[in-house]
Amino acid sequence: MSSVDTALPIDRQIVLVTGGARGLGSHLVRSFLREGANVVINHKTSGKAAQGLADAHPDHALAVQADVRDAQQVTDMLRTAREHFGTPITTVVNNALVDFSFNGDARPHADSLTWNHLHQQFSGTVQGALNTVQAALPGMREAGFGRIVNVGTNLFQNPVVPYHDYTAAKAALLSLTRTLAHDLGPDGITVNMISGGLLRTTDASSATPEEVFDVIASTTPLRRVIGPEEFADAALYFTSPWARAVTGQNLVVDGGLVTD
């Protein structure tokens, strides 16, 4: 049994944020940059947005294109990051959301759901996270420190809108979060999940009607819909020294809508 107790301040971490160019990802990137971390801004097609973020923080940010579903592209991305910053990535935030929009009218229903819908979300969410974790492990073990934060959802606890494909993939990611936490704990690596509700407003939630936001706000103890910058604060907690003994957890950040 390991007695490793590691805690690296955020401003000494090299953080990879997948899907970091737009939406929630850009808020995650800005939060870590604000705390002094060096940040790798991963993107698949949003090169201009990613480079704009990096150019605004030239000493602390690097934009790198990679499809997280492709293990070789992920490996190459981490190699590029190490060459740029001189040390390995210590922190991975699995945020990338592949080809999905929170549009209840356009979602596949029970009688039209196909395996292709599910496969698309599983490949982006689960396969993508597996690729980034496996690519980052050697560097984390070298550093004797690692933080993995997976972005989940409260929809598998409260499927107010039955997005079958998205929710099933995120539920699988929670299972992977907990098994990885058990496996990697002896290496000083923690693995946690942050699960939000509908965020106001990101690229993914831009198709959501205003009345849906109003309904959610009225049933939430805080009486408002949480913003992406508030969600990003929870990622800072999980990667900070204050969370050094916390692993395998799923923190729901939705203003109190879901309580278990």
Side-chain angles (χ1 to χ4, degrees), residues 97-249:
L97 181 61
V98 176
D99 301 328
F100 187 84
S101 174
F102 294 101
N103 185 337
D105 294 331
R107 70 179 178 85
H109 292 252
D111 54 357
S112 60
L113 181 69
T114 68
W115 174 247
N116 284 336
H117 291 122
L118 289 161
H119 181 264
Q120 178 172 289
Q121 291 309 307
F122 271 75
S123 63
T125 296
V126 182
Q127 183 182 20
L130 179 63
N131 286 340
T132 60
V133 169
Q134 289 182 333
L137 273 180
M140 290 180 175
R141 286 172 170 152
E142 177 187 333
F145 171 90
R147 296 290 180 263
I148 299 165
V149 179
N150 296 322
V151 174
T153 180
N154 68 0
L155 284 172
F156 52 76
Q157 294 138 313
N158 181 36
V160 59
V161 179
Y163 294 109
H164 304 290
D165 46 354
Y166 171 82
T167 304
K170 292 296 189 180
L173 184 60
L174 175 58
S175 294
L176 187 64
T177 297
R178 288 177 169 157
T179 55
L180 286 173
H182 183 85
D183 212 20
L184 302 180
D187 295 314
I189 300 170
T190 66
V191 190
N192 291 289
M193 174 177 274
I194 309 168
S195 290
L198 190 66
L199 299 175
R200 180 177 260 161
T201 299
T202 66
D203 290 1
S205 65
S206 61
T208 302
E210 190 64 25
E211 53 267 27
V212 174
F213 286 109
D214 292 340
V215 169
I216 291 174
S218 68
T219 57
T220 300
L222 292 183
R223 302 296 190 272
R224 60 184 178 82
V225 176
I226 300 305
E229 66 283 352
E230 295 171 297
F231 184 96
D233 287 343
L236 296 177
Y237 166 70
F238 275 135
T239 58
S240 75
W242 292 291
R244 64 187 181 277
V246 180
T247 195
Q249 301 303 306

Side-chain angles (χ1 to χ4, degrees), residues 64-66 71-81 83 135:
V64 184
Q65 190 278 334
Q72 187 58 56
Q73 289 187 37
V74 172
T75 297
D76 292 344
M77 172 173 60
L78 268 72
R79 182 183 302 113
T80 297
E83 291 172 354

